[in-house]
Amino acid sequence: MGFEQFEIQLIASVVAAACAIPGVFLVLRSMAMMSDAISHAILLGIVLAFFVIPDISSPLLIIGAALSGVLTVSLVELLNKTRLVKEDASIGLVFPVLFSIGVILIARYAWNVHLDVHAVLLGELAFAPFDRLIIFGNDIGPKSLYVMGTILIINLFFISLFYKEIKIATFDAGLAAALGFSPGLIHYGLMSLVSVTAVGAFDAVGSILVVALMIAPPAAAYLLTDNLTKMILISVVLGVISSISGFWLAIFLDANIAGAMATMAGVLFVLVFLFAPDRGIIAIARRRSHQRWEFAGKMLAIHLLNHEGTQDEERESQIQHLEENLRWKESFARRVVHYSANNGFLLVNDDRLVLTTRGREYAKESIVDN
Amino acid sequence: MHLDKVGSLNKGDLDMSENAIEVEDLTVAYQEKPVLWDIDLTVPEGVLMAIVGPNGAGKTTLIKAILNLVKTAAGQIKIYGKTSSDQKRLVGYVPQRGSVDWDFPTSVKDVVMMGRYGALGWIRRPGKEEQKMALSALDKVGMLQYAERQISQLSGGQQQRVFLARALVQDAQVYLMDEPFQGVDATTERAIVSLLQELRKSGKTVVVVHHDLQTVPEYFDWTALLNVRLIASGPVQEVFTEENLRLTYGGRVSFLKHNGENGVSNIGQRTG
Ligand SMILES: Nc1ncnc2c1ncn2[C@@H]1O[C@H](COP(=O)(O)OP(=O)(O)O)[C@@H](O)[C@H]1O
Ligand SMILES: [Mg+2]
């Protein structure tokens, strides 16, 4: 069992890396839904190709499936062009139709083949090590490892060869077109990569994990870096971590492996979403609260400065009067005073607030800034 | 003064090949609704031209049509006598600032280097040479110290300068800019204007979609007034008249006031 466990984790890691690469561009193009659409619609392609070549292991099935992925993309574009429906709606309209035709065809004509809907959604990763690639009588490893390894290499090859073109077409399609890099061609190229990856991966891990691995790691990586190359690398790493930790979660819970991996991809995303150093919501909340205190401190300093040396200074600089003058609740006023005193902007003398030199300067600067 | 030279030219005097841009009978429609209707426009070499017109007049569409980015229903467009797909290297483009995602994970320098991608062609990657050009363009727009910044940290005016630097490294003959003054402060606006005037002095042709009617006579020497149809185009002194503005903006030009000889001035309101 030990070696099979290793093989399953290896296959899943390769799938994760292969999915993360095109996934980055789906996320950057706000096309996450497209991975869902493609990974479902390919079922129809597989079924149709199967009618032509009734051999479940034929590589032509992959081509049929990839073509139906590209067909999905073109149908979505066609619907978009009518401007009668929004992009996400067109995606939602197209793929359920294609997917359900695939399901109906399987149910009616191909029920006796190894194509069942449950396997399509969740895959049978546990069985992947049993389907071996035999060359000249030698067992050289699980077949899906080779399929996904090839797809990973294809993805790496295209993304590094056309890195600059994909980058400009994603960031500024108008300039890309003006400079002669057809954004349409690049779009279809990318969608073909997504289709081929989804096709290769779904036999092993099912379409739910394909979607999870294409979207969750890049969405998390997006929150962690400002650099495109790093975003791709981090996505790959997060995808691999999701796969391996998901595998052990599945063993621990005795659950479906692909389901547990998808869960871990989601969990990792949530962790990043919460704790990312700059863009996580905790960091954002902390920044907001800091800004709130800073702003209140400025208001207080300016207020005190305005009344310095006037006859109502006595009254205006009392903590009790902040409630009336600045409309602050007393507890809030006390905390602002505390914050300002800690920063050396003012001194508290028997409930009277006195600006320090530093506080006076701070108030003056704040007025100029605004 | 340069203005005088340009002002004295008219279509007949020019050898056709000397025009930077020639648009003939251009019609563009989105779903049968014409947004540009039978436009004939000639932009002589070396002018700094403002395209003005109300919102939805088709200004952006005209720029995109010249760049061959939208399907045209009729007409033809020539850049130095050839179609724009033959002249890609000659045209620099500054799109509307809002047309891209400023949260894209990349740095200021990388965005500016994109201006060199056209010259590099497919597959070849930018290198030292491109970096040097990007940095010197950033220096020209006063953004050198931001070269390594993430673009998500820029203000509106800084974004606009980055786009301008990107167009500069394209090293084009003709520049098409869509609202480069949108959302910039007064200092940036002055910096951009002097840059545009410098470009014109070095013989480049610069076409700018512009929104502030008041500054047209000050900044530009050539103008086109557009509202689905081309109302007028030519030297600012000749065509930037109250009459033409009224035709372009309809009843909404009540804020125009007479100022004797110069036709229009004192337009105290921004349009759009
Ligand atoms: N892709 C598009 N599809 C349909 N209509 C469009 C599209 N782009 C622009 N329009 C319409 O064309 C008209 C002209 O747009 P535009 O050229 O952006 O005007 P301007 O730049 O002068 O404000 C507007 O009415 C706009 O709504
Ligand atoms: Mg516009």
Side-chain angles (χ1 to χ4, degrees):
Chain A
M1 187 66 186
F3 193 63
E4 277 148 26
Q5 289 190 343
F6 169 75
E7 281 185 344
I8 291 174
Q9 292 175 67
L10 185 62
I11 293 167
S13 299
V14 174
V15 171
C19 286
I21 295 169
V24 163
F25 295 96
L26 288 177
V27 167
L28 287 177
R29 291 164 166 250
S30 314
M31 288 173 48
M33 273 287 276
M34 200 62 109
S35 66
D36 208 2
I38 290 176
S39 62
H40 283 84
I42 51 179
L43 179 67
L44 177 60
I46 293 181
V47 178
L48 290 179
F50 182 74
F51 286 144
V52 183
I53 310 126
D55 170 9
I56 194 72
S57 58
S58 164
L60 282 175
L61 294 196
I62 290 198
I63 295 171
L67 284 179
S68 69
V70 174
L71 173 74
T72 313
V73 178
S74 345
L75 287 178
V76 169
E77 304 268 289
L78 262 176
L79 259 181
N80 278 341
K81 281 224 179 89
T82 66
R83 283 203 153 202
L84 297 174
V85 284
K86 295 226 164 88
E87 164 134 28
D88 57 343
S90 344
I91 295 176
L93 286 168
V94 168
F95 86 82
V97 174
L98 299 183
F99 182 62
S100 50
I101 296 175
V103 171
I104 292 167
L105 288 178
I106 291 179
R108 272 200 73 93
Y109 304 106
W111 52 270
N112 54 346
V113 224
H114 139 103
L115 274 174
D116 75 86
V117 177
H118 178 76
V120 167
L121 290 175
L122 283 175
E124 287 301 350
L125 202 46
F127 300 141
F130 298 111
D131 190 5
R132 314 296 293 185
L133 190 62
I134 313 282
I135 289 184
F136 303 125
N138 295 320
D139 174 356
I140 58 166
K143 207 166 109 193
S144 44
L145 186 58
Y146 284 91
V147 173
M148 285 318 295
T150 310
I151 290 173
L152 173 60
I153 290 169
I154 291 174
N155 285 350
L156 279 173
F157 176 75
F158 275 100
I159 299 289
S160 40
L161 195 61
F162 297 111
Y163 185 76
K164 141 175 146 277
E165 289 76 11
I166 298 172
K167 185 171 176 176
I168 191 172
T170 304
F171 174 64
D172 189 344
L175 182 70
L179 294 178
F181 305 108
S182 160
L185 189 66
I186 292 165
H187 175 70
Y188 275 97
L190 265 175
M191 291 310 125
S192 305
L193 287 188
V194 172
S195 301
V196 169
T197 310
V199 175
F202 108 126
D203 187 36
V205 302
S207 58
I208 289 180
L209 186 53
V210 170
V211 175
L213 289 176
M214 276 193 185
I215 304 308
Y222 180 71
L223 298 176
L224 289 172
T225 177
D226 276 327
N227 175 298
L228 182 55
T229 313
K230 282 188 195 144
M231 184 174 164
I232 297 174
L233 289 175
I234 294 175
S235 301
V236 168
V237 170
L238 289 176
V240 171
I241 295 176
S242 309
S243 299
I244 294 173
S245 60
F247 175 80
W248 291 105
L249 180 70
I251 298 281
F252 180 70
L253 296 176
D254 193 20
N256 175 284
I257 300 177
M261 289 176 174
T263 306
M264 283 315 296
V267 168
L268 275 186
F269 173 77
V270 170
L271 288 178
V272 170
F273 181 71
L274 290 176
F275 299 111
D278 265 348
R279 308 216 183 126
I281 54 171
I282 291 178
I284 291 172
R286 200 175 290 153
R287 227 173 8 246
R288 286 236 177 91
S289 117
H290 176 77
Q291 279 165 356
R292 183 163 161 246
W293 291 116
E294 195 181 80
F295 182 70
K298 265 184 198 165
M299 265 175 80
L300 180 57
I302 292 172
H303 173 77
L304 293 173
L305 182 74
N306 281 343
H307 291 283
E308 254 183 0
T310 63
Q311 36 178 307
D312 53 1
E313 179 179 2
E314 172 95 32
R315 210 177 82 90
E316 295 288 340
S317 58
Q318 304 236 331
I319 293 189
Q320 288 81 348
H321 275 105
L322 294 180
E323 187 174 355
E324 188 184 311
N325 297 326
L326 297 174
R327 293 210 202 112
W328 286 348
K329 285 218 174 72
E330 197 194 323
S331 58
F332 182 72
R334 289 201 182 276
R335 287 168 72 185
V336 177
V337 168
H338 188 70
Y339 168 89
S340 302
N342 273 351
N343 280 290
F345 296 146
L346 51 78
L347 299 168
V348 186
N349 280 339
D350 302 332
D351 275 0
R352 270 208 54 201
L353 307 175
V354 185
L355 276 180
T356 60
T357 321
R358 185 148 159 234
R360 212 164 286 128
E361 236 135 64
Y362 181 63
K364 283 178 188 155
E365 271 168 28
S366 307
I367 295 172
V368 175
D369 273 0
N370 296 328
Chain B
M1 214 176 110
H2 194 80
L3 254 176
D4 297 331
K5 183 196 126 205
V6 177
S8 68
L9 293 174
N10 58 52
K11 220 174 165 179
D13 297 340
L14 276 171
D15 179 348
M16 288 308 270
S17 65
E18 266 195 83
N19 287 324
I21 305 172
E22 281 166 20
V23 176
E24 260 176 60
D25 307 321
L26 172 70
T27 295
V28 179
Y30 294 115
Q31 286 98 46
E32 319 300 322
K33 180 189 144 220
V35 287
L36 288 176
W37 207 207
D38 200 27
I39 306 285
D40 287 294
L41 173 67
T42 302
V43 184
E45 180 176 49
V47 299
L48 176 48
M49 178 171 105
I51 301 180
V52 298
N55 276 336
K59 304 180 294 293
T60 297
T61 306
L62 176 60
I63 294 232
K64 286 189 172 166
I66 295 172
L67 284 159
N68 200 17
L69 300 183
V70 293
K71 259 217 204 94
T72 57
Q76 54 173 332
I77 294 154
K78 294 274 169 70
I79 293 173
Y80 284 101
K82 292 192 188 141
T83 63
S84 53
S85 39
D86 291 333
Q87 303 280 43
K88 286 203 165 81
R89 296 293 101 78
L90 288 189
V91 186
Y93 176 36
V94 177
Q96 259 170 301
R97 182 162 60 87
S99 67
V100 305
D101 170 17
W102 289 95
D103 284 328
F104 191 86
T106 191
S107 68
V108 165
K109 190 176 73 186
D110 275 0
V111 169
V112 176
M113 281 200 290
M114 287 180 188
R116 293 309 300 162
Y117 285 11
L120 286 168
W122 286 84
I123 296 173
R124 254 179 71 205
R125 296 282 191 93
K128 283 256 149 37
E129 184 64 22
E130 284 71 30
Q131 291 216 15
K132 244 172 51 196
M133 295 175 82
L135 293 179
S136 99
L138 280 170
D139 197 18
K140 271 199 199 118
V141 299
M143 289 282 292
L144 188 56
Q145 71 270 38
Y146 294 95
E148 303 298 332
R149 273 286 171 95
Q150 298 311 316
I151 58 171
S152 55
Q153 299 168 12
L154 302 178
S155 71
Q158 292 170 335
Q159 293 174 351
Q160 211 64 265
R161 288 174 190 231
V162 170
F163 264 9
L164 216 60
R166 187 177 71 174
L168 291 180
V169 302
Q170 282 188 257
D171 194 21
Q173 283 302 310
V174 179
Y175 286 94
L176 304 174
M177 308 188 177
D178 204 343
E179 302 194 25
F181 300 112
Q182 191 241 322
V184 309
D185 55 59
T187 327
T188 305
E189 177 156 336
R190 264 192 304 278
I192 295 179
V193 169
S194 63
L195 207 88
L196 300 186
Q197 286 171 345
E198 220 173 275
L199 281 174
R200 186 203 55 194
K201 275 188 202 122
S202 62
K204 317 277 182 179
T205 308
V206 186
V207 175
V208 177
V209 174
H210 192 56
H211 255 315
D212 184 5
L213 292 179
Q214 195 168 21
T215 50
V216 168
E218 183 190 340
Y219 294 170
F220 299 93
D221 56 16
W222 208 266
T223 188
L225 294 99
L226 185 73
N227 190 352
V228 185
R229 293 164 186 274
L230 185 70
I231 309 298
S233 77
V236 170
Q237 297 137 305
E238 283 171 31
V239 303
F240 198 70
T241 62
E242 188 179 342
E243 170 66 10
N244 281 336
L245 283 166
R246 201 179 294 286
L247 285 169
T248 311
Y249 288 87
R252 281 180 290 153
V253 278
S254 47
F255 55 85
L256 292 178
K257 283 192 190 132
H258 263 295
N259 179 16
E261 44 187 354
N262 267 353
V264 187
S265 75
N266 205 7
I267 305 162
Q269 188 177 334
R270 280 175 176 265
T271 62

